């Protein structure tokens, strides 16, 4: 358990202290650490700064190989994109009676790929070898939200219970101030049954809301519409603190901007953050929002699907981002970005100077997306999905120049080949491309068994 601080609260003092330090630090060095902001104004947290992002370089170490062979599709009738494995509380991949399970955002593939976001349902797949996946079915009968976006999945071995975290999203056809409203949610109550036939979910889930944007630290949908940005309050990733045992989710948010005039130009509109919430009861039904782990104000608008890997005492924070969400004057490829700190709270510094860990090759800048870095021994296994190949233009917008049939033809919509990535302090190197979408247990670290029923 964490120490008790002088106010009698558990676990909060470290994060509050970090916030205070961040504010003093920014004011004290008068804009040197935050070049997009005016000194002494606004609220400044631990940041991915413009200066750091200017160091983003594509190198041999962070550029993924070109995918030039056809990739087998997991399904003939479904698009499959953001995917996450079922993990134990400690983050290792769960194996129950020899089976692994992954959860994916899915949608019928008879619509143009852009329409899939408003139809997304979470389905699960299982496998004995971690790379040949069989569709199990839909995860939920009655989830929260019009549709569901990314999340994470935890299996508590002692309770024999699944905890499935997801984003509950409102209908994208509603008026702007109501569409794509996002809330963090999770479901518990059910488990998994395995047999020689495969894996099925048993029991029924109760669904709980974890958090919604508070409008103070985390910008609400309404505040974001006024500011004209791609809004985010989504992608809860379960993380148990290895030292304190505390339960957290990290997620993608936007920081509310109190005083736009504190920032140069209109760069305050690029206000992505990695948010964090802590469970305040053991049932994980009560949660408390905390100050973001990382903010990219004036740098980038979207830090999607954030997640943490702990290795040799270092805390690695990963997130995915797009070229089109970098602020004016900055650029970086679609891909995986990462940061490292010596504690969960930070202060996070970009890996490889600018933060870039996996970029698509220049010939196919959109070939994969939604990367997920999983611990693999002392290195990483990075999974992703096959996004767009052979687009007519240099941006994702050029998809709209194509007919609906052409759009379907250039969209992959299945797991992409996984990558092995070496991890060395604050540097990384892509060392191998595997065949297909492999979610392999972390060598030497995964738990055996689990107590799922036969
Ligand atoms: C990343 C992402 C996630 C979101 C999902 C919506 O690929 O934008 O942040 O949950 O896709 O489809």
């Amino acid at each position: 358990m964490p120490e008790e601080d002088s106010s009698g609260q558990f676990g909060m003092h470290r994060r509050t202290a970090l916030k205070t330090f961040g504010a003093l630090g920014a004011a004290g060095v008068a804009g040197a650490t935050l070049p997009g902001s005016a000194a002494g104004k606004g609220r400044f947290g631990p940041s991915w700064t413009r200066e750091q992002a200017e160091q983003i370089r594509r190198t041999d170490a962070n550029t993924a190989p070109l995918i030039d062979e056809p990739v087998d599709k997991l399904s003939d009738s479904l698009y499959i994109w953001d995917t996450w494995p079922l993990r134990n509380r400690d983050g290792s991949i769960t194996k129950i009676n020899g089976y692994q399970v992954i959860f994916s955002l899915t949608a019928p593939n008879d619509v143009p790929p852009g329409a899939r976001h408003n139809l997304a349902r979470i389905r699960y797949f299982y496998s004995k070898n971690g790379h040949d996946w069989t569709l199990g079915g839909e995860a939920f009968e009655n989830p929260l939200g019009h549709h569901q976006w990314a999340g994470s999945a935890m299996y508590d071995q002692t309770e024999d219970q699944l905890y499935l975290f997801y984003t509950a999203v409102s209908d994208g056809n509603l008026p702007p101030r109501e569409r794509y409203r996002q809330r963090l949610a999770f479901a518990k109550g059910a488990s998994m049954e395995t047999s020689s036939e495969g894996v099925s979910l048993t029991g029924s889930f109760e669904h709980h809301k974890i958090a919604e944007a508070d409008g103070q630290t985390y910008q609400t949908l309404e505040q974001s519409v006024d500011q004209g940005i791609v809004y985010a309050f989504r992608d809860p990733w379960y993380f148990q603190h290895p030292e304190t045992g505390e339960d957290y989710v990290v997620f993608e948010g936007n920081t509310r901007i109190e005083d736009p005039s504190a920032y140069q130009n209109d760069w305050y509109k690029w206000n992505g953050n990695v948010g964090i919430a802590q469970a305040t009861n053991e049932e994980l039904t009560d949660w408390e929002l905390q100050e973001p782990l990382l903010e990219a104000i004036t740098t980038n608008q979207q830090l999607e699907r954030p997640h943490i890997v702990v290795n040799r005492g270092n805390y690695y924070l990963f997130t995915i981002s797009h070229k089109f969400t970098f602020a004016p004057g900055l650029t970086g490829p679609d891909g995986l970005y990462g940061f490292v700190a010596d504690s969960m709270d930070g202060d996070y510094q970009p890996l490889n100077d600018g933060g870039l860990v996996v970029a698509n090759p220049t010939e196919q800048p959109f070939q994969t997306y939604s990367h997920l870095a999983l611990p693999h021994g002392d290195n990483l296994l990075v999974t992703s999905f096959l996004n767009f190949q052979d687009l007519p233009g240099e941006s994702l917008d050029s998809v709209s120049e194509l007919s609906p049939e052409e759009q379907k033809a250039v969209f992959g919509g299945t797991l992409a080949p996984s990558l092995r990535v070496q991890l060395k302090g604050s540097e990384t190197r892509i060392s191998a491309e595997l065949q297909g979408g492999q979610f392999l247990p972390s060598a030497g670290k995964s738990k055996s068994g689990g107590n799922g029923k036969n």
Side-chain angles (χ1 to χ4, degrees), residues 147-178:
H147 57 275
Q148 292 73 42
W149 285 351
S152 55
M154 184 266 278
Y155 175 66
D156 185 297
Q157 294 174 312
T158 320
E159 299 169 5
D160 183 22
Q161 183 165 205
L162 295 170
Y163 290 80
L164 303 187
F165 298 83
Y166 62 95
T167 312
V169 190
S170 70
D171 190 348
N173 295 314
L174 292 170
R177 299 179 87 79
E178 294 164 51

Side-chain angles (χ1 to χ4, degrees), residues 422-434:
Q422 289 172 353
L423 201 51
K424 213 170 176 198
S426 58
E427 291 184 2
T428 63
R429 166 171 290 276
I430 298 173
S431 58
E433 185 189 50
L434 308 184

Side-chain angles (χ1 to χ4, degrees), residues 48 56 58 116-117 149 228-232 234 252 254 269-272 298-304 320-335 337 360 365-366 368-370 385 387-388 391 394-399:
W48 185 18
I56 293 170
R58 220 191 263 270
R116 75 187 193 280
H117 298 289
W149 285 351
I229 65 156
V230 184
Y231 179 61
R234 62 173 180 265
E252 177 195 357
N254 295 117
K269 294 181 178 172
W270 284 265
N271 60 344
T298 73
T299 301
N300 195 317
Q301 207 179 80
Q302 290 202 109
L303 307 185
E304 304 191 276
I320 50 170
S321 204
H322 287 291
K323 183 179 173 189
F324 80 89
T325 60
F326 277 93
L330 296 174
T331 189
D334 280 34
Y337 291 81
N360 288 316
F366 307 107
T368 63
Y369 193 57
S370 213
F385 78 94
N387 201 10
F388 289 101
L391 287 186
E394 285 178 10
S395 86
L396 273 177
D397 283 347
S398 65
V399 175

Side-chain angles (χ1 to χ4, degrees), residues 69-393:
E69 301 276 319
V71 174
D72 287 342
K73 300 224 171 182
L74 251 65
S75 166
D76 293 337
S77 55
L78 294 169
Y79 290 134
I80 289 156
W81 66 110
D82 298 13
T83 298
W84 53 95
L86 182 62
R87 297 173 305 141
N88 300 313
R89 271 200 194 255
D90 68 359
S92 57
I93 286 187
T94 305
K95 267 211 160 192
I96 298 187
N97 298 323
Y99 285 106
Q100 285 176 234
V101 177
I102 53 174
F103 294 85
S104 299
L105 298 187
T106 63
N109 66 6
D110 55 359
V111 296
R116 75 187 193 280
H117 298 289
N118 203 34
L119 300 170
R121 291 269 172 278
I122 297 173
R123 287 181 165 84
Y124 69 98
F125 298 80
Y126 56 85
S127 167
K128 283 239 171 182
N129 61 13
H131 51 91
D132 296 311
W133 299 99
T134 304
L135 177 62
E138 285 200 31
F140 305 127
E141 270 177 23
N142 292 306
L144 302 178
H146 168 268
H147 57 275
Q148 292 73 42
W149 285 351
S152 55
M154 184 266 278
Y155 175 66
D156 185 297
Q157 294 174 312
T158 320
E159 299 169 5
D160 183 22
Q161 183 165 205
L162 295 170
Y163 290 80
L164 303 187
F165 298 83
Y166 62 95
T167 312
V169 190
S170 70
D171 190 348
N173 295 314
L174 292 170
R177 299 179 87 79
E178 294 164 51
R179 76 168 70 126
Y180 293 130
R181 185 182 298 282
Q182 298 151 43
R183 295 189 176 90
L184 311 184
F186 89 103
K188 65 185 246 189
S191 188
M192 281 183 334
E193 206 165 70
T194 62
S195 71
S196 53
E197 304 295 300
V199 176
S200 52
L201 298 188
T202 56
S204 55
F205 283 109
E206 343 152 338
H207 294 264
H208 300 265
K209 190 180 83 183
I210 295 177
E212 54 194 322
D214 59 354
Q216 290 300 315
T217 300
Y218 295 97
Q219 191 169 50
T220 61
L221 173 63
E222 290 79 359
Q223 290 166 343
S224 85
V225 169
D226 295 341
Q227 198 181 303
I229 65 156
V230 184
Y231 179 61
F233 192 80
R234 62 173 180 265
D235 302 349
W237 178 263
Y238 173 80
F239 177 71
Q240 184 179 49
H241 195 297
E243 293 157 51
T244 65
E246 294 158 328
D247 300 287
Y248 291 94
V249 289
V250 291
F251 60 89
E252 177 195 357
N254 295 117
T255 297
R256 179 179 73 113
I257 303 297
E258 245 174 275
D259 179 8
S261 71
Y263 298 88
Q264 284 176 30
N265 307 318
D266 61 352
W267 294 342
Y268 68 90
K269 294 181 178 172
W270 284 265
N271 60 344
N273 69 36
V274 173
I276 183 164
Q278 183 182 354
T280 55
N281 66 353
E282 286 198 352
E283 294 73 37
L284 306 193
T285 49
D286 292 335
W287 295 80
E288 191 168 69
L289 282 176
Q290 299 183 344
E291 298 294 317
L293 283 187
L294 186 72
E295 292 181 309
I297 307 171
T298 73
T299 301
N300 195 317
Q301 207 179 80
Q302 290 202 109
L303 307 185
E304 304 191 276
R305 294 195 71 198
H307 51 285
I308 295 177
V309 171
V310 183
N311 182 270
R312 292 182 266 214
N314 286 325
Y315 287 70
Y316 290 90
L317 175 61
F318 294 99
T319 180
I320 50 170
S321 204
H322 287 291
K323 183 179 173 189
F324 80 89
T325 60
F326 277 93
L330 296 174
T331 189
D334 280 34
L336 179 72
Y337 291 81
F339 304 82
V340 63
D342 58 11
S343 78
M344 186 192 78
D345 297 323
D347 200 2
Y348 286 97
Q349 297 300 319
L351 296 172
N352 308 323
D353 299 328
L356 185 58
V357 175
V358 175
N360 288 316
T362 39
E363 309 93 290
Q364 291 290 354
F366 307 107
Q367 71 174 14
T368 63
Y369 193 57
S370 213
H371 304 77
L372 187 66
L374 298 163
H376 195 64
D378 270 333
N379 295 304
L380 301 172
L381 183 81
V382 175
T383 63
S384 64
F385 78 94
L386 212 56
N387 201 10
F388 289 101
Q389 282 170 307
D390 301 325
L391 287 186

